[in-house]
């Protein structure tokens, strides 16, 4: 939030914070949803959590790739 506050114009601040919250809520909701789906399909809880962890790691690698490619 500190980076958002320092790098966002005042006129767009509310909108940017709302989009940021929306992304965080969507990520947590989808994680919970997929864990529930996997457990209902007879995956163990640890297997489901490992899969979610791998997905987050792949997302982090993609983020680093994009950041290096576009020099953001």
């Amino acid at each position: 939030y500190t980076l958002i506050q320092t790098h966002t114009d005042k006129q767009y601040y509310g909108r940017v914070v709302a989009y940021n919250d929306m992304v965080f809520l969507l990520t947590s909701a989808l994680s919970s949803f997929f864990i529930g789906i996997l457990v209902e399909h007879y995956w163990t809880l640890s297997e489901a959590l490992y899969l979610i962890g791998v997905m987050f790691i792949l997302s982090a690698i993609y983020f680093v790739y994009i950041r290096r490619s576009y020099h953001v």
Side-chain angles (χ1 to χ4, degrees):
Y1 279 101
T2 302
L3 286 173
I4 289 174
Q5 289 173 343
T6 57
H7 294 291
T8 303
D9 293 333
K10 293 279 187 195
Q11 61 186 5
Y12 301 115
Y13 180 72
R15 191 176 312 164
V16 171
V17 168
Y19 288 142
N20 186 50
D21 288 344
M22 180 181 65
V23 169
F24 283 129
L25 177 63
L26 179 66
T27 303
S28 64
L30 286 177
S31 297
S32 297
F33 178 74
F34 284 125
I35 289 171
I37 292 293
L38 291 173
V39 169
E40 282 185 357
H41 286 89
Y42 304 108
W43 286 45
T44 65
L45 186 58
S46 62
E47 291 171 340
L49 292 177
Y50 283 131
L51 180 63
I52 296 292
V54 168
M55 292 172 71
F56 275 106
I57 290 170
L58 291 175
S59 299
I61 291 169
Y62 179 68
F63 173 76
V64 169
Y65 168 75
I66 292 296
R67 188 169 178 157
R68 287 184 181 164
S69 297
Y70 292 101
H71 305 290
V72 177

